[in-house]
Amino acid sequence: MTGFIPVLTFHSLDDGRAPTSFGPALFARGMETLALGGYRTISLAEAASLAAAKRPFPEKSFVITFDDGYRNVYEKAFPVLAEYSFTATVFLTTGDGARTADGDRLPELFGGEMLSWGEIRIMNDAGVDFGAHTLTHPDLTQLSPEDAAREIAASRGVIERALGAPVAAFAYPYGKYDAHSLAITRREFACACSDELGLFTASANLHAIPRVDAFYLRGERLFGLVRSPGLPLYILLRSVPRTLRRRLAGV
Ligand SMILES: [Zn+2]
């Protein structure tokens, strides 16, 4: 048992150069290496409930999250997750939820092709969790408390209606939150993820859970997780230059 767990953040699995891109081949190799190294995933909800109860996390465990809801999560990540019986939480920017038939897609974000509700339902049936990521992906700290409340709570409602299941988790767009948005997510969700770089521990704020953006794991760093049962990961995270952190801020 261990006192911390990495919550990995991916956005889009593609070979582009954007900070939000992560190569699909490296993802597949990384997950294979982790699986062969004896690592397994626990769900974000499970990690949050362990942290809330101040109980330790299972040894060699980690959490996978995907932000935004790109179609390549279904095409590139889902088969890999299924192969190793890994689970993940996918945070969806839902739009107004007027169209959630199987063929309808999430509203386009940053020019990417998004998941269809049919793809979301297939993954949901296979045990992938879905969390809310607002209606339109705004910077919540720039909105009135009323608008922020609507963006946060209504996106949860869209997913719950479309999937017929409760939604436990939220991720702040761009990782940005303030006292208002924090108060709203405390009311609406069991947990919420920030983009602050760090490992999830029992002392973390359950509504601003730190994560490790996959951007920091490019190259061969994802494999470093396997070689290190924890402590070297702390060192790895501490070694991320400040300039790199700044470059990522606002993604
Ligand atoms: Zn996002």
Side-chain angles (χ1 to χ4, degrees):
M1 304 299 263
T2 171
F4 56 85
I5 188 168
V7 179
L8 306 184
T9 311
F10 296 90
H11 292 81
S12 176
L13 290 191
D14 65 67
D15 290 310
R17 300 177 68 112
T20 47
S21 297
F22 194 89
L26 181 60
F27 178 84
R29 283 212 317 280
M31 291 303 141
E32 180 187 31
T33 308
L34 287 165
L36 292 175
Y39 279 76
R40 66 186 185 90
T41 56
I42 63 172
S43 72
L44 179 65
E46 191 182 347
S49 73
L50 288 170
K54 305 287 181 200
R55 291 174 51 201
F57 305 107
E59 205 71 50
K60 288 193 163 187
S61 61
F62 67 109
V63 175
I64 303 173
T65 64
F66 291 91
D67 282 13
D68 302 336
Y70 294 104
R71 187 181 192 186
N72 51 47
V73 172
Y74 176 76
E75 293 176 323
K76 305 291 186 188
F78 180 51
V80 175
L81 298 176
E83 185 166 350
Y84 303 116
S85 300
F86 284 173
T87 190
T89 296
V90 186
F91 293 104
L92 305 177
T93 299
T94 60
D96 63 10
R99 295 168 63 88
T100 58
D102 281 352
D104 294 323
R105 293 196 180 277
L106 299 174
E108 191 181 300
L109 210 56
F110 311 119
E113 190 177 16
M114 310 308 288
L115 289 167
S116 73
W117 284 98
E119 291 159 349
I120 292 166
R121 289 188 180 100
I122 290 169
M123 289 193 283
N124 187 52
D125 289 345
V128 173
D129 291 328
F130 289 89
H133 196 45
T134 72
L135 301 174
T136 65
H137 209 277
D139 174 350
L140 290 168
T141 64
Q142 301 298 310
L143 299 186
S144 69
E146 296 73 29
D147 286 347
R150 200 179 75 84
E151 283 278 352
I152 295 168
S155 62
R156 170 187 164 170
V158 169
I159 302 169
E160 290 187 338
R161 279 193 301 279
L163 298 182
V167 169
F170 180 81
Y172 301 97
Y174 313 102
K176 290 190 175 174
Y177 62 94
D178 56 14
H180 287 303
S181 37
L182 200 56
I184 298 160
T185 60
R186 281 209 175 103
R187 206 168 58 222
E188 299 283 337
F189 298 94
C191 62
C193 289
S194 78
D195 285 349
E196 280 151 46
L197 178 63
L199 298 170
F200 188 13
T201 68
S203 61
N205 182 342
L206 277 180
H207 292 83
I209 296 171
R211 295 189 287 178
V212 180
D213 197 290
F215 183 79
Y216 301 119
L217 304 172
R218 282 181 174 187
E220 297 302 309
R221 285 184 147 180
L222 184 53
F223 305 107
L225 279 176
V226 177
R227 288 192 287 273
S228 59
L231 189 62
L233 184 62
Y234 270 124
I235 295 163
L236 168 73
L237 296 185
R238 288 234 301 277
S239 75
V240 172
R242 250 190 217 136
T243 47
L244 194 57
R245 296 186 190 209
R246 269 203 294 273
R247 197 173 141 200
L248 250 197
V251 164

